Amino acid sequence: MLIDYETLKFIWWILVGALLIGFAITDGMDMGVASLLPFVGRTDDERRVVINVVGPHWDGNQVWLITAGGAIFAAWPDVYAAAFSGFYMAMLLVLFALFFRPLGFDYRAKIDDARWRRVWDWALFAGSIIPALIFGVAFGNLLQGVPFHLDEMLRAHYEGSLLTALLPLLNPFALLAGVISVAMLCMHGGVWLQLRTTAPISERVKGAITLMGLVAVLGFVLGGVWIAYGIDGFRVVSQPAPGGVSDPLAKTVVMEHGAWLAIYSKVPLSMLAPAIGIGGPLVTILLSRLNRPGLGFVTSALSVAGIIGTAGLSMFPFIMPSKTHPGSSLTVWDATSSHLTLTVMFWVVVIFLPLVLIYTVWCYRRMWGKVTLDHVQTHGHSAY
């Protein structure tokens, strides 16, 4: 079956968004757990319990990030090139932080020394909270627009030097988005921790879920107000037919007040995303307090999808807007690969994604159960 080019472009916007949400729900959960590690684990054995909750799955979950990066490279090569150029220092910071995760998981138990293990506990904390913060900061900068332009060869050029590229990214709105990201993932990881552990950890983590959930909601609402009254969005004035050959420079774009909110009046159903982003954490907090972490994990996952989905829907069809040269902005319609590439990749996803999901569910099912203090104390050789 041959799918028309315009439809394929839209399908790949959905698929890339789904991959990013899948990464946030799975590996973001692991990052949230590790970010809470020094605070909910009071003793070495308790911290070993926390680590063993995510230890068997963290590396498989991180594949979602690699897959999302590969999908962006193949489906949106212009976005991949422009993003990896402009966010180079930020991505290096994320990469270096991620180095601590495999080292922390693998080396923590090598030496039976409290100071050694404490160092790796904080390494796991840093290797989780820094990427969570930077990913949120990246979304915050995309909503404000990125200072780049495309030349006639479609090469991206940025203002400023490489050494000073990181500091402008850390602006107030972007940092707010980073705080939302950290709070959202810590709440999500906290619910998973409550589901997979017993007292005292499962009781202690309730406070963290409540705090992080409230921070996520308040930050999300504040971010929405900030976008409504303080940040200009982008709007396409004219462009070639969406089903035509991709050419990012063949359109006219303007920045105007309220443009990021236009979709919610045009497509009222899209209001579900911010509604879930606000209501989801509040319901998660309630379910956590009622000792229903299973349902709480579902609502927490929906919260993650709602918050990320709100950002994606607000920006649609923009993927990477340019605040210095709006006409160079990259959109769903003009930053994509060829029709043939998108078609081949689509059928690869249709065939292999269900297999990956089935295998992932099987792994979790096989290793399901509570992780207890008795377990890590009795099976020291198999615990982190």
Side-chain angles (χ1 to χ4, degrees), residues 79-167:
V79 174
Y80 183 90
F84 273 67
S85 297
F87 296 154
Y88 188 74
M89 296 302 295
M91 290 183 177
L92 277 182
L93 179 60
V94 169
L95 180 62
F96 291 152
L98 289 175
F99 289 163
F100 288 118
R101 300 183 75 203
L103 293 174
F105 284 116
D106 288 341
Y107 284 98
R108 185 185 189 277
K110 297 296 184 183
I111 298 177
D112 188 11
D113 179 81
R115 290 172 298 178
W116 170 269
R117 291 183 170 182
R118 195 177 303 115
V119 167
W120 288 115
D121 289 342
W122 284 105
L124 286 170
F125 168 80
S128 298
I129 199 168
I130 291 174
L133 177 67
I134 296 299
F135 291 144
V137 166
F139 269 96
N141 279 281
L142 288 177
L143 285 163
Q144 296 175 93
V146 184
F148 77 97
H149 71 275
L150 302 176
D151 63 19
E152 65 278 0
M153 301 297 292
L154 300 184
R155 294 172 299 191
H157 299 271
Y158 282 81
E159 296 183 355
S161 66
L162 184 63
L163 294 178
T164 60
L166 184 59
L167 291 179

Side-chain angles (χ1 to χ4, degrees), residues 8 19 36 40 73 75 82 90 107-108 137-138 145 158 196 200 209 237-238 244 246 250 296 303 307-309 318 336:
L8 271 175
L19 285 171
L36 296 174
V40 300
F73 170 75
Y107 284 98
R108 185 185 189 277
V137 166
Y158 282 81
R196 295 293 309 280
I209 294 169
V237 176
S238 64
S246 297
S303 304
I307 291 172
I308 296 176
F318 291 91
T336 57

Side-chain angles (χ1 to χ4, degrees), residues 173 221-233 256-261:
F173 179 79
V221 172
L222 177 58
V225 173
W226 200 328
I227 288 174
Y229 295 101
I231 294 178
D232 289 338
E256 63 182 22
H257 182 71
W260 282 155
L261 305 178

Side-chain angles (χ1 to χ4, degrees), residues 281-357:
L282 298 177
V283 175
T284 300
I285 292 170
L286 177 61
L287 290 171
S288 171
R289 291 291 175 178
L290 294 175
N291 292 315
R292 300 295 300 275
L295 285 176
F297 184 77
V298 174
T299 58
S300 178
L302 289 173
S303 304
V304 172
I307 291 172
I308 296 176
T310 298
L313 286 169
S314 298
M315 291 177 58
F316 184 84
F318 291 91
I319 305 171
M320 193 169 178
S322 168
K323 65 181 179 182
T324 51
H325 295 77
S328 293
S329 299
L330 301 174
T331 74
V332 172
W333 311 122
D334 59 27
T336 57
S337 293
S338 67
H339 193 179
L340 176 61
T341 300
L342 296 185
T343 301
V344 172
M345 289 172 54
F346 171 77
W347 290 113
V348 168
V349 170
V350 169
I351 295 170
F352 287 102
L353 183 59
L355 297 177
V356 172
L357 293 175

Side-chain angles (χ1 to χ4, degrees), residues 251-284:
K251 64 180 180 298
T252 303
V253 177
V254 296
M255 296 180 64
E256 63 182 22
H257 182 71
W260 282 155
L261 305 178
I263 191 171
Y264 300 108
S265 58
K266 293 179 181 177
V267 186
L269 189 62
S270 61
M271 284 296 297
L272 278 176
I276 292 172
I278 295 172
L282 298 177
V283 175
T284 300

